[in-house]
Amino acid sequence: GALKPAAGPRVLNDFLADKSYIEGYVPSQADIAVFEALAAPPPAEFYHALRWYNHIKSYEKQKASLPGVKKALGKYGPADVEDTTGAATDSKDDDDIDLFGSDDEEESEEAKKLREERLAQYESKKSKKPAVVAKSSILLDVKPWDDETDMAKLEECVRSIQADGLVWGSSKLVPVGYGIKKLQIQCVVEDDKVGTDMLEERITAFEDYVQSMDVAAFNKI
Amino acid sequence: GGEELALLEKALGLQSGNKYGAQGERQIPVLQTNNGPGLTGLITIAAYLVKQAKKEQLLGKSAEEKAVVHQWLEYRVTRVDKHSSKEDTRTILKDLNTHLEDKVYLAGNSFTLADILMYYGLHHVMVDLTVQEKEKYLNVSRWFNHIQHYPGVRQHLTNVVFIKNRLYTNAH
């Protein structure tokens, strides 16, 4: 994978919003590795990254003696945040976004596509807005033709719908009788960018799988 | 007063186990030294302990850094108090959040006594913050989480948990 300059500064900034260092609580080779990979200081709008950058710069003279071992850049980046409340820990690394692209040669085309998709989703979730943005949480009911429709495929089609201001959430299959299950899926939309009409149009376009779509619930958030 | 100084002693690696008295209505800590005048006041005693521990760098290195450290120590004793009103507390968190936007530690790039005493002083506040408030004062949360992980500082105090809000936050 290659360095993604466009994705870089924003993802780095968000990653560092609540951290002083790339790894752990002391400056280490991890910080040096990322620092040296940056061509220039982050722009002022990414003030968390800039704060980190200036701080690590102050360690320039000692960089060789900082703890740790420099790893490939793909190994650093946002991962699941340490959750110590004792609630069910998410063992699936769903939010594991590769900061600079993975160096893993075994990565398949599909995994690569999924990662790029998730990076785009992560970006659209996290991009900073200057003003308060009106958002809504919508629960959609997507009905198949019959009980033989491949619901996994149907869900895949729905989730493949990408738009600025649209983020898909969790989903479940709900039986509606005669062995038929409908897909109930959540999404969060920015009101001025995505509406239910557009969602209906794009979802029902998957004519092979989708018979109809309804809004089961609509809440302003 | 006395409790906090006991924590500070351990954080500094001192074994002294001094006994602290308390003076007046506001229970200002007093340390009776063996060969000299008694010392009064949190900052005074804390600075003395730092020197005893031979860790003067915790008071700041340059003249400017020393001044900034002292500024925050003064802030600590004049503004941060167990009996602060809700509004005072909010102001403090707001001040701190702004100050910490471009700094890792209170004095900039170095860990100092200011970080330690502000951490002890604010612990009771941070423990009660809601998830939204922690997110609102993001820089304070980052700093506090960092300091509580600094070796020897937290000791028996509760670890305050900070979870980065991941999915559908509208608190941007």
Side-chain angles (χ1 to χ4, degrees):
Chain A
L3 190 79
K4 291 187 174 62
R10 176 159 289 141
V11 179
L12 181 65
N13 191 60
D14 273 341
F15 178 73
L16 290 169
D18 64 340
K19 297 176 195 62
S20 299
Y21 305 104
I22 296 289
E23 274 184 357
Y25 296 93
V26 294
S28 69
Q29 293 302 325
D31 298 285
I32 300 300
V34 177
F35 180 87
E36 289 179 344
L38 294 175
E45 62 179 294
F46 299 120
Y47 59 87
H48 300 295
L50 185 59
R51 182 242 317 141
W52 166 84
Y53 185 92
N54 288 331
H55 182 67
I56 299 305
K57 193 156 199 290
S58 75
Y59 288 93
E60 275 217 284
K61 297 213 178 84
Q62 314 151 266
K63 64 181 177 191
S65 61
L66 292 180
V69 174
K70 266 196 229 176
K71 296 188 271 197
L73 281 178
K75 302 278 186 255
Y76 301 125
D80 272 327
V81 173
E82 179 188 313
D83 182 337
T84 54
T85 56
T89 351
D90 188 6
S91 55
K92 246 179 12 138
D93 273 349
D94 264 339
D95 292 333
D96 192 356
I97 307 293
D98 235 341
L99 185 59
F100 293 109
S102 175
D103 286 345
D104 193 353
E105 289 144 26
E106 299 156 71
E107 194 185 50
S108 67
E109 265 306 301
E110 206 180 286
K112 187 169 184 211
K113 178 169 173 290
L114 190 61
R115 176 171 51 81
E116 306 217 34
E117 221 171 81
R118 283 196 181 148
L119 193 61
Q121 274 195 14
Y122 185 86
E123 276 256 73
S124 71
K125 275 186 221 171
K126 293 296 186 180
S127 57
K128 283 200 190 315
K129 312 258 180 232
V132 174
V133 179
K135 289 189 191 166
S136 301
S137 166
I138 312 181
L139 189 64
L140 300 170
D141 275 348
V142 184
K143 302 195 182 78
W145 291 107
D146 54 33
D147 61 337
E148 303 204 351
T149 305
D150 183 344
M151 293 309 291
K153 256 289 152 175
L154 184 146
E155 182 172 342
E156 212 180 281
C157 292
V158 173
R159 286 187 184 278
S160 77
I161 297 170
Q162 298 280 317
D164 182 24
L166 167 65
V167 180
W168 291 111
S170 60
S171 64
K172 61 181 185 199
L173 294 175
V174 179
V176 293
Y178 308 107
I180 301 176
K181 293 196 178 73
K182 69 181 175 185
L183 173 73
Q184 230 182 37
I185 183 166
Q186 236 247 337
C187 65
V188 173
V189 302
E190 284 175 37
D191 295 340
D192 58 352
K193 290 187 182 156
V194 177
T196 52
D197 289 339
M198 179 269 237
L199 286 173
E200 181 165 6
E201 209 179 285
R202 292 183 67 175
I203 289 176
T204 53
F206 294 105
E207 289 172 355
D208 291 340
Y209 298 97
V210 177
Q211 190 220 120
S212 66
M213 182 212 95
D214 287 310
V215 175
F218 191 110
N219 293 301
K220 289 246 161 269
I221 49 174
Chain B
E3 253 178 63
E4 185 174 350
L5 288 167
L7 280 170
L8 178 62
E9 279 181 21
K10 283 227 184 63
L12 293 171
L14 288 171
Q15 308 285 345
S16 35
N18 287 317
K19 289 271 186 305
Y20 297 99
Q23 193 184 87
E25 212 183 272
R26 296 192 57 216
Q27 298 288 281
I28 297 180
V30 182
L31 172 64
Q32 200 57 51
T33 56
N34 287 332
N35 46 337
L39 297 177
T40 308
L42 181 68
I43 304 181
T44 309
I45 299 174
Y48 169 75
L49 291 175
V50 164
K51 289 180 184 150
Q52 262 204 322
K54 301 215 197 315
K55 296 194 165 149
E56 278 93 335
Q57 69 277 15
L58 291 179
L59 296 174
K61 295 191 218 86
S62 63
E64 202 188 321
E65 214 181 60
K66 288 189 173 114
V68 173
V69 171
H70 199 91
Q71 172 190 280
W72 285 103
L73 292 178
E74 239 184 80
Y75 188 97
R76 162 65 217 279
V77 296
T78 56
R79 307 280 302 274
V80 181
D81 195 274
K82 283 213 197 299
H83 309 289
S84 297
S85 68
K86 264 255 148 197
E87 205 185 298
D88 286 338
T89 305
R90 240 177 280 132
T91 307
I92 291 169
L93 290 172
K94 204 166 124 258
D95 283 347
L96 257 184
N97 203 53
T98 305
H99 179 79
L100 287 167
E101 187 180 289
D102 62 343
K103 295 175 202 66
V104 173
Y105 298 105
L106 287 171
N109 285 322
S110 317
F111 174 71
T112 64
L113 182 63
D115 297 294
I116 304 180
L117 291 189
M118 282 297 282
Y119 164 78
Y120 288 142
L122 285 173
H123 185 269
H124 75 281
V125 169
M126 299 303 289
V127 144
D128 284 337
L129 288 188
T130 63
V131 173
Q132 282 93 335
E133 286 170 319
K134 285 174 191 165
E135 187 104 345
K136 179 173 175 191
Y137 303 111
L138 185 58
N139 304 319
V140 180
S141 296
R142 175 205 11 105
W143 165 82
F144 191 90
N145 196 26
H146 182 152
I147 302 307
Q148 76 178 351
H149 279 89
Y150 202 94
V153 173
R154 180 170 72 86
Q155 295 170 50
H156 66 271
L157 294 175
T158 322
N159 184 51
V160 179
V161 177
F162 297 93
I163 302 174
K164 190 162 183 193
N165 215 344
R166 279 176 272 184
L167 296 175
Y168 306 115
T169 176
N170 51 354
H172 278 309

